[in-house]
Amino acid sequence: MAQKRRFRPIRRTVLLLAALALAAIVAMPASGVALAQSPPPSDIQLVNRDRQMVERKKDGEFIARPVFSRQVSALYYSIRHPDTGEWITNAYRVQGSGKKLSEGWEYTFEYPALGEQPDLHPEQAFLLVLAVPPAAGGERLVFHALIPVHQPKGLWDRVLGALDPDRWARAAAAWVIQGVHGTLCGVVVGVTQTDISECG
């Protein structure tokens, strides 16, 4: 009787170890299946979408530096007119595998890089369309960025830019239009004694 009591703790320990080993054996294949079925990393994000990623040059050229959340297999770009939606260029592939940064992968490219690429007017903004092929099936990912109007950075450039007759003409035209609009709204409101929502 005493001998049976002596072997009970050993039997319990052996059973506990056997149960743990069985649980480990069952858990290993299950975790492997779960990892194999888990989808690839989620959609690629354009990290600097809220920042100015395009630097415009004085002759209409630009340098783009988009940063993506992870490395992409390929990157294509094209340019559209922001008002009409007209495609200004064909689609071009960016050369290079990108540069690793702390926040993601940067892909720098210049425009124009080829002789057949059309010139862009430096005082006209454009829309840069970036396309990334999907990682595994599905549709390609499309991102947009603004190609801004060239803004001189030097002090004298800014002074001369402020004195540019074209800019003054555009500003004067805007003031005149706003003044006429306000006057007409005041006259209409005074005559009809009604509030006009479009007069704001």
Side-chain angles (χ1 to χ4, degrees):
M1 190 76 174
Q3 191 174 5
K4 285 184 179 180
R5 287 180 184 169
R6 203 182 328 153
F7 286 117
R8 279 183 185 169
I10 296 173
R11 187 184 307 164
R12 287 181 187 163
T13 305
V14 170
L15 289 173
L16 180 61
L17 290 174
L20 289 174
L22 182 62
I25 291 170
V26 170
M28 281 168 40
S31 65
V33 170
L35 289 174
Q37 292 179 348
S38 61
S42 59
D43 291 346
I44 297 169
Q45 302 295 323
L46 185 58
V47 175
N48 57 346
R49 65 184 181 279
D50 297 329
R51 287 173 264 159
Q52 185 56 264
M53 70 180 76
V54 181
E55 178 187 351
R56 194 74 183 270
K57 302 296 184 181
K58 64 179 180 179
D59 293 327
E61 307 99 336
F62 67 84
I63 300 176
R65 299 181 178 89
V67 178
F68 294 95
S69 56
R70 61 184 173 89
Q71 193 172 23
V72 300
S73 58
L75 175 62
Y76 300 89
Y77 74 91
S78 54
I79 300 171
R80 299 186 78 167
H81 193 283
D83 297 327
T84 64
E86 176 189 0
W87 290 101
I88 306 297
T89 69
N90 297 323
Y92 300 98
R93 180 171 180 163
V94 176
Q95 299 296 322
S97 57
K99 180 173 66 174
K100 182 72 171 77
L101 304 177
S102 59
E103 59 182 351
W105 288 83
E106 180 182 274
Y107 293 83
T108 302
F109 59 93
E110 298 183 16
Y111 181 93
L114 303 172
E116 70 267 15
Q117 290 177 321
D119 294 333
L120 301 178
H121 195 287
E123 293 191 7
Q124 169 68 55
F126 295 93
L127 191 64
L128 178 64
V129 182
L130 303 166
V132 178
E139 297 182 355
R140 64 180 179 176
L141 303 174
V142 178
F143 306 92
H144 298 90
L146 176 68
I147 303 174
V149 174
H150 170 65
Q151 295 291 340
K153 296 181 179 179
L155 177 60
W156 285 112
D157 289 330
R158 292 180 182 178
V159 171
L160 292 175
L163 298 176
D164 183 7
D166 291 339
R167 292 189 182 182
W168 279 96
R170 286 194 295 267
W175 292 334
V176 169
I177 291 170
Q178 290 175 0
V180 170
H181 180 263
T183 302
L184 289 175
C185 280
V187 170
V188 171
V189 169
V191 171
T192 62
Q193 298 298 319
T194 58
D195 293 333
I196 300 176
S197 60
E198 287 79 10
C199 274

